[in-house]
Amino acid sequence: MTQIPLPAFLDDRHLPLPIEVAQRWNFPLLTIEHKRQTLFRLHDWLTGLVDEKYAGQKIRDYRRPGELFDQHVGSTHTLIEYDSKHREQNFEYVTDRLLYLAVMDIRLTKKRKESTPVSAIKHYLAVSGAFVDLIRRKPETVVTSGLIDPETAFEAGVNEYRKLGKPDSWIAIRLEGKIKREMFISALNAAVTEYLNESHYRIATDDIYLGLWKRTAAQLKSELGLSKRTSLRDNQPNLALAYQGIAEEISAQKLGDKRMLSWYQARIIVQKVAEFIGAQAQQTSRFLKTDLATGKPLLAAGR
């Protein structure tokens, strides 16, 4: 990756880092002062990094119940302003931390690498230290974003799981699974011509679970007594994580051989891979007399 030297003024920090980025890549970024802090217009930020179409689509996703704006209520402030077509619209102004979360959320497809500044901006922010705090919670993002040294990121991930009492053998499989998950999502984005959002990713994930375990994520969470917002994979046994990772890695490889797929065509590929791996998983489950998806004995699971 090409190293981008930081400008001399970065050390002095006379300007907020997002403003420095906007000036360096020559895009507008409106700000307001709200409750003694500077907030930045998210639409401007995402438009500058990718384009206006992406900004509109992504912000609509963030407005959905349970998504980014709900998760960070105190970090957003909405104003009614005029858009580029002189129509009144709601615009969210957010903290710099939410700007960085939004950056980490941008998938680096081949097209975006070639036609937008997002790859260079990600690297610039990484060098500035903007992601140091965030990376502790999402170490897998280094795989697709190249934001920070992989060894540092994985060490942070290991430490977080150790605090939860997870054994190192489980942690290794869980972190490897996060890498494969990122590969899977990136491959979906690259192969499918349509814009994909979180609902598409959830459907694709359920296609994996249904092929492997004949149950959706919601059904598995119910069997494990987990709430809707609790991470399923943080509560599954080693073998479940391993088989899910294999299914996602192979799906990523099969999707990587294709381009210009419809969402329906991509799902067919994922479903076929999951069913293929699922047949092997079911044999292993019967051999061990254990429901691999939950770790429960087959008889106790009613299977």
Side-chain angles (χ1 to χ4, degrees):
M1 180 179 293
T2 304
Q3 295 296 313
I4 301 176
L6 295 180
F9 62 74
L10 187 58
D11 294 333
D12 298 332
R13 292 292 169 90
H14 295 311
L15 294 172
L17 181 56
I19 297 299
E20 294 174 4
V21 169
Q23 290 186 355
R24 184 180 181 90
W25 276 273
N26 194 31
F27 63 85
L29 180 59
L30 296 184
T31 65
I32 61 170
E33 294 298 318
H34 180 68
K35 294 184 179 179
R36 298 184 179 181
Q37 62 179 339
T38 302
L39 300 181
F40 308 86
R41 194 157 85 161
L42 182 59
H43 186 275
D44 293 349
W45 179 253
L46 294 176
T47 299
L49 267 69
V50 185
D51 56 38
E52 189 166 15
K53 180 180 178 181
Y54 173 84
Q57 291 170 329
K58 200 63 186 177
I59 289 172
R60 284 193 290 273
D61 291 343
Y62 289 155
R63 287 172 178 164
R64 292 176 178 173
E67 296 298 334
L68 186 71
F69 295 151
D70 269 2
Q71 296 169 18
H72 302 274
V73 174
S75 299
T76 65
H77 181 68
T78 303
L79 293 178
I80 299 176
E81 298 177 332
Y82 289 102
D83 64 13
S84 58
K85 296 181 180 179
H86 302 288
R87 300 171 301 186
E88 285 191 346
Q89 301 284 350
N90 288 332
F91 286 95
E92 287 81 9
Y93 285 78
V94 304
T95 61
D96 56 353
R97 183 174 181 275
L98 260 65
L99 293 184
Y100 304 146
L101 284 170
V103 172
M104 293 171 71
D105 208 22
I106 299 173
R107 303 289 172 182
L108 279 179
T109 62
K110 182 179 179 181
K111 181 179 179 180
R112 287 177 186 159
K113 287 181 180 179
E114 294 174 348
S115 62
T116 74
V118 65
S119 180
I121 291 175
K122 280 192 174 194
H123 182 60
Y124 186 84
L125 290 170
V127 173
S128 76
F131 296 114
V132 170
D133 178 62
L134 298 177
I135 203 67
R136 288 202 301 270
R137 288 180 293 278
K138 298 184 72 177
E140 68 274 16
T141 55
V142 304
V143 178
T144 54
S145 300
L147 300 175
I148 197 171
D149 175 71
E151 185 175 346
T152 301
F154 279 97
E155 182 179 349
V158 168
N159 290 337
E160 288 298 312
Y161 281 123
R162 281 176 176 166
K163 290 178 185 177
L164 298 175
K166 302 291 188 180
D168 284 358
S169 58
W170 182 92
I171 292 171
I173 295 175
R174 179 70 178 102
L175 292 180
E176 183 180 359
K178 288 193 172 195
I179 294 175
K180 293 176 179 179
R181 171 72 177 171
E182 290 294 315
M183 292 168 56
F184 175 54
I185 297 300
S186 294
L188 272 175
N189 277 289
V192 177
T193 57
E194 304 158 48
Y195 171 76
L196 302 184
N197 56 37
E198 292 301 323
S199 65
H200 291 95
Y201 305 146
R202 283 192 288 268
I203 291 169
T205 301
D206 270 341
D207 284 339
I208 294 287
Y209 292 149
L210 286 167
L212 291 175
W213 318 123
K214 311 304 180 189
R215 285 158 285 174
T216 64
Q219 290 170 322
L220 290 170
K221 284 183 179 182
S222 177
E223 290 183 24
L224 289 169
L226 304 175
S227 68
K228 290 182 179 180
R229 293 195 177 185
T230 300
S231 168
L232 172 63
R233 298 191 187 200
D234 279 353
N235 291 275
Q236 287 183 288
N238 295 31
L239 287 175
L241 298 177
Y243 273 108
Q244 286 160 192
I246 291 170
E248 288 180 333
E249 183 176 12
I250 294 176
S251 292
Q253 290 186 21
K254 298 296 288 184
L255 288 167
D257 297 334
K258 308 290 184 181
R259 286 295 182 270
M260 306 297 289
L261 292 177
S262 68
W263 168 234
Y264 172 78
Q265 290 171 322
R267 284 191 67 193
I268 294 298
I269 291 173
V270 173
Q271 290 166 353
K272 287 183 177 179
V273 170
E275 289 171 4
F276 176 73
I277 303 300
Q280 301 169 48
Q282 294 305 314
Q283 289 182 4
T284 303
S285 183
R286 289 190 291 270
F287 179 74
L288 295 175
K289 298 181 180 179
T290 301
D291 177 27
L292 300 187
T294 62
K296 296 179 179 181
L298 280 181
L299 291 179
R303 298 182 184 282

